Amino acid sequence: MPSTLSSTPQWPVAIGEAARRAGVSARMLRHYEGLGLLARVARSDSGYRQYSEADVHVLRFIRRSRDLGFSIEEITTLLGLWQDQERTSASVKQIAQAHIDTLSERIAAMQAMQRSLQSLVQCCHGDDRPDCPILDDLAAADGVSGSARLP
């Protein structure tokens, strides 16, 4: 009995299938389209969006860029560079390096938060008494409480 399903993907596809193939939600797909990251797609006679293989490829690019933490503005620039055959890789590398620098700053800030919280947790007895250096620190206007001074 012959199979009714073809092993070759059929294009174009509806929004749900395009989202599934790209690994994004239909809501995010519409959002990216609304932001202009994805060009307006063709519509069927009845008005349904019809996504091409190229559209899904762009969506995968966007998803991977978001997975790496690039902002929408950075993704817009990267998409433009990706689609520009005259681009230089130096311009792409510059964007990626700036993103690495931003990530490094954020990681350092989070590590500082972690050290501060670890110090506060060590100062807290965690018993039945109401005294709590963690709450005292959170309530301190300057971020440094009298009972649990951080180095």
Side-chain angles (χ1 to χ4, degrees), residues 60-132:
R60 288 182 186 135
F61 182 99
I62 295 167
R63 187 203 69 228
R64 179 68 176 138
S65 299
R66 292 297 290 161
D67 289 348
L68 291 173
F70 285 103
S71 69
I72 295 298
E73 293 78 20
E74 290 167 327
I75 294 170
T76 300
T77 302
L78 289 168
L79 272 169
L81 290 167
W82 179 49
Q83 294 165 344
D84 178 6
Q85 296 302 309
E86 302 296 318
R87 71 178 174 272
T88 63
S89 64
S91 53
V92 179
K93 183 176 181 177
Q94 181 181 8
I95 294 167
Q97 185 60 57
H99 187 58
I100 289 169
D101 296 344
T102 300
L103 288 172
S104 295
E105 291 171 8
R106 290 172 56 195
I107 289 167
M110 292 181 80
Q111 288 172 333
M113 286 187 271
Q114 182 183 33
R115 286 189 301 274
S116 294
L117 284 169
Q118 285 173 333
S119 177
L120 288 169
V121 167
Q122 288 174 355
C123 293
C124 182
H125 295 286
D127 55 18
D128 292 336
R129 295 184 295 171
D131 297 337
C132 181

Side-chain angles (χ1 to χ4, degrees), residues 14-33:
I15 191 168
E17 181 62 17
R20 186 191 68 74
R21 290 181 185 187
V24 299
S25 68
R27 181 176 181 216
M28 287 309 297
L29 194 157
R30 285 189 294 273
H31 178 66
Y32 295 148
E33 189 177 348

Side-chain angles (χ1 to χ4, degrees), residues 1 7 28-29 32 43-44 50-51 62 69 73 104 112 119 134 137:
M1 182 169 161
S7 61
M28 287 309 297
L29 194 157
Y32 295 148
R43 297 217 179 225
S44 68
Q50 297 289 296
Y51 294 88
I62 295 167
E73 293 78 20
S104 295
S119 177
I134 299 168
D137 185 82

